[in-house]
Amino acid sequence: MEKETGYLHAKGFFNEFNASSYDNIVKFTTFGQDHVWKKKILKMIPKKGFVLDLACGTGILTSLLQDKGHVTFGIDLTYGYLKILKTKRRGLFCVNGIAEVLPFKNNYFDYVVSSYLPKYANLIHLVDECFRVLKGGGKVVFHDFIFPNRVVFRKLWKFYFKILKRAGRYIKSWNNVFNKLDSFIMNSGWYSNLPEILFNKGFTNITSESITFETAAVISAKKP
Ligand SMILES: C[S@@+](CC[C@H](N)C(=O)[O-])C[C@H]1O[C@@H](n2cnc3c(N)ncnc32)[C@H](O)[C@@H]1O
């Protein structure tokens, strides 16, 4: 996905009008899987440390990280989402900015994580920045939606989005997202491109796993 396309989609999708309903929308539209996926990310970073949550949004994952005892930082493009995070949590350092240009010093974090970012991001700049801010031995974990490979899962996936688009007619602030998310996911090459970009940057121990009927995936890697 081109940087500008992803950035423009993110700008069009997330705003102050849908920020307050985001937590409920993500819970219901993923049938609770969002929580399962975020728990999986937590399991992949077992030791307490300094963690950066990229595209932290309203702070669902960020809050779970803080509850686990990590020293937690967040960054997000959408100010309205960060305002919601601030009403929910104190003691979280969060900043309004983009994941491709991080306002943090080199070798600072034990972990960099993100949920639903890679399809919007310029992956080369993103990986460069993750590598820069991670300590040696640090780990990066990316999670996002994918378009399933298997025919039967694809059929179910397409049916699901048909229903979501209908629902969007009645939920104005999410109408744009529900209408465009399917084709955006289908056209995103994040899952196939990211492992090679991580490898080229010098990351090691790269893992890649599709989950929940191939509707989402998690990729992790270690900075040597
Ligand atoms: C679906 S929300 C996910 C929020 C949060 N990670 C979660 O799991 O609930 C996607 C978020 O990505 C943010 N975003 C998209 N592109 C970004 C970028 N390049 N840098 C920082 N944030 C970005 C949006 O502002 C939005 O808050």
Side-chain angles (χ1 to χ4, degrees):
M1 183 64 59
E2 293 296 313
K3 179 189 177 195
E4 290 72 19
T5 316
Y7 180 80
L8 290 176
H9 269 87
K11 284 292 240 183
F13 282 179
F14 307 105
N15 51 58
E16 60 181 305
F17 304 109
N18 57 27
S20 60
S21 56
Y22 174 77
D23 290 14
N24 281 329
I25 286 288
V26 76
K27 190 174 6 170
F28 293 124
T29 55
T30 64
F31 306 110
Q33 283 303 297
D34 178 65
H35 188 68
V36 175
W37 296 332
K38 286 180 169 55
K39 285 273 181 195
K40 185 174 177 67
I41 297 172
L42 292 181
K43 268 196 187 156
M44 293 172 81
I45 55 167
K47 286 189 199 151
K48 286 189 185 115
F50 277 54
V51 186
L52 173 61
D53 181 14
L54 300 173
C56 58
T58 59
I60 302 176
L61 177 61
T62 339
S63 303
L64 292 171
L65 289 162
Q66 193 184 35
D67 292 343
K68 276 266 168 192
H70 295 291
V71 181
T72 311
F73 296 70
I75 183 167
D76 199 281
L77 178 71
T78 310
Y79 183 67
Y81 275 53
L82 293 175
K83 277 204 312 200
I84 298 290
L85 181 155
K86 277 289 176 192
T87 62
K88 294 196 296 196
R89 283 282 161 154
R90 289 177 190 278
L92 267 179
F93 180 81
C94 65
V95 56
N96 192 198
I98 59 168
E100 293 92 335
V101 186
L102 294 175
F104 300 103
K105 57 185 182 183
N106 298 351
N107 310 311
Y108 193 66
F109 293 101
D110 299 287
Y111 303 110
V112 175
V113 299
S114 78
S115 192
Y116 309 116
L117 168 67
K119 67 182 174 303
Y120 300 113
N122 178 312
L123 294 177
I124 293 178
H125 292 162
L126 178 66
V127 167
D128 277 352
E129 280 294 79
C130 291
F131 195 88
R132 182 181 67 74
V133 300
L134 272 173
K135 294 175 187 167
K139 189 175 185 180
V140 63
V141 183
F142 296 107
H143 153 251
D144 209 336
F145 294 121
I146 55 170
F147 183 48
N149 239 330
R150 274 189 252 179
V151 179
V152 59
F153 294 157
R154 275 191 181 183
K155 280 190 177 155
L156 287 170
W157 191 89
K158 285 183 176 168
F159 179 67
Y160 165 79
F161 272 100
K162 255 188 195 165
I163 294 178
L164 199 66
K165 281 178 195 193
R166 291 226 169 139
R169 290 182 200 162
Y170 306 98
I171 315 173
K172 281 251 159 38
S173 59
W174 287 98
N175 181 279
N176 185 37
V177 182
F178 291 1
N179 269 328
K180 294 183 182 159
L181 190 60
D182 57 345
S183 60
F184 187 61
I185 294 168
M186 281 166 77
N187 292 321
S188 167
W190 83 267
Y191 184 53
S192 46
N193 295 336
L194 190 55
E196 191 182 339
I197 294 170
L198 287 163
F199 178 80
N200 289 341
K201 183 65 196 174
F203 278 98
T204 59
N205 299 53
I206 299 164
T207 69
S208 163
E209 187 190 351
S210 69
I211 46 183
T212 319
F213 309 114
E214 302 177 358
T215 56
V218 180
I219 290 182
S220 75
K222 191 177 149 190
K223 177 175 170 178

